[in-house]
């Protein structure tokens, strides 16, 4: 079975995990100093506790410089970029899932590709 959990921002959940093992820890951060600070603490702690494979999801990446900032902050982790995408805001304003828009935006495409890479069938 597959379980995806979206926990509160910060490292609280990771600090409370004892010896639990998961397949993948996705650390989501934006290319901002505060987000990267919290994200690096979370990724390092998940790695230190040997919880499972750690992938950093660089969210709201606007350009190559944004991606480089995140990659530089996480040199020892796989970084998956998700572009900044106005269609996410459009879907939210319409009260629908971004997946339900007639034309999926680049963020949806990136997230679907990440999900496909993580699915057991891809393993």
């Amino acid at each position: 079975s597959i379980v995806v959990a979206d926990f509160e921002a910060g490292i609280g959940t990771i600090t409370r995990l004892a010896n639990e093992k998961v397949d993948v820890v996705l650390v989501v951060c934006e290319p901002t100093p505060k987000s990267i600070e919290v994200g690096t603490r979370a990724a390092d702690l998940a790695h230190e506790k040997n919880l499972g494979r750690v992938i950093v999801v660089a969210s709201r990446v606007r350009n190559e410089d944004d991606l480089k900032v995140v990659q530089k902050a996480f040199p020892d982790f796989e970084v998956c970029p998700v572009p900044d995408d106005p269609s996410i805001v459009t879907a939210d304003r319409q009260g629908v899932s971004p997946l339900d828009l007639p034309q999926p935006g680049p963020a949806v495409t990136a997230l679907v590709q990440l999900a496909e890479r993580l699915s057991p069938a891809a393993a």
Side-chain angles (χ1 to χ4, degrees):
S1 68
I2 297 173
V3 176
V4 176
D6 181 8
F7 296 115
E8 75 276 358
I11 63 170
T13 301
I14 294 174
T15 61
R16 289 187 292 276
L17 291 175
N19 293 323
E20 287 86 354
K21 201 77 160 134
V22 297
D23 294 320
V24 180
V25 175
L26 296 175
V27 175
V28 180
C29 76
E30 295 182 14
T32 63
K34 183 64 177 172
S35 185
I36 287 172
E37 175 189 344
V38 174
T40 55
R41 289 185 9 227
D44 289 343
L45 186 57
H47 178 73
E48 182 181 303
K49 292 180 108 178
N50 198 29
L51 296 177
R53 177 178 167 205
V54 177
I55 297 176
V56 176
V57 178
S59 184
R60 297 186 176 175
V61 171
R62 294 169 306 204
N63 52 44
E64 193 64 31
D65 289 340
D66 279 355
L67 180 56
K68 287 179 183 176
V69 165
V70 176
Q71 288 171 326
K72 183 178 180 186
F74 297 91
D76 299 325
F77 298 101
E78 177 183 352
V79 175
C80 174
V82 175
D84 193 31
D85 185 349
S87 70
I88 301 294
V89 175
T90 299
D92 191 34
R93 287 185 178 148
Q94 293 177 6
V96 299
S97 165
L99 293 170
D100 293 332
L101 292 176
Q103 183 68 34
V108 170
T109 300
L111 291 169
V112 167
Q113 289 172 348
L114 174 61
E116 288 171 349
R117 282 189 12 228
L118 296 176
S119 76

